[in-house]
Each structure stands twice: as structure tokens, then as C-alpha cells.
Amino acid sequence: MANHKSALKRIRSNETKRLRNKYQHKTTRNAVRDLRATEDKKEAESNLGKVISMLDKLAKNNIIHQNKAANLKSKLTKHVAAL
């Protein structure tokens, strides 16, 4: 167990950040899943920008790797274009 006040605070802040990252990551995965399941081109095009923005934010905060975000964005854009 931690012995210093700063270490105790770090434990608390790490847990808070972990939960926030987990929530954002799961929300983005669900948005990607929903976009892939969409059959309507107009709806997919309107949601694509939101999903790309979510992926960029995850990559910026190192929740996912930049290349993973780029690969997902590329595949989703191709999917929407093919509808």
C-alpha cells in the first residue's frame, strides 16, 4: 500500500482516468459497430463524421494507437462509400 499522500492521490486519479478511458473506448466501439450495421447511406454518412471524431480523440489520448484509428477510419469510410 502507498505510504505518501501523493501516491494515494495518484492511485485515486489513475482509477478515475481508467474508468473514463474505458467508458470512452466502449462507447466508440459501440458506435463503430452501429455504423457497420447501418444499411441507410444518408444515416451512415451523417454518423461517419462523429465516429471519426471519436476515434481521433481516442488516438490523441493514447487510448488506442494512431495506426489502429487510421485503419478503422479507412475501413469505415470504404464501407460507407460502398453503400
Side-chain angles (χ1 to χ4, degrees):
M1 189 60 197
N3 292 321
H4 299 283
K5 283 181 89 172
S6 61
L8 293 170
K9 181 178 178 180
R10 177 57 66 188
I11 289 169
R12 289 195 309 271
S13 64
N14 283 346
E15 180 65 13
T16 303
K17 290 174 186 175
R18 183 185 73 83
L19 291 174
R20 182 172 56 239
N21 290 343
K22 181 179 165 187
Y23 171 79
Q24 290 174 344
H25 194 190
K26 184 66 174 176
T27 303
T28 304
R29 285 200 308 260
N30 288 340
V32 168
R33 182 194 65 207
D34 293 343
L35 182 61
R36 283 191 178 129
T38 303
E39 297 296 329
D40 183 29
K41 188 173 178 81
K42 279 200 181 295
E43 185 181 343
E45 287 174 343
S46 65
N47 289 339
L48 182 63
K50 295 174 190 170
V51 173
I52 286 176
S53 175
M54 294 168 84
L55 289 168
D56 286 336
K57 286 177 187 173
L58 289 182
K60 181 180 79 172
N61 293 327
N62 290 322
I63 299 172
I64 62 173
H65 197 273
Q66 286 180 341
N67 291 353
K68 180 179 176 73
N71 287 335
L72 284 170
K73 290 189 296 185
S74 174
K75 288 176 184 174
L76 290 172
T77 304
K78 284 181 184 177
H79 172 71
V80 171
L83 287 177

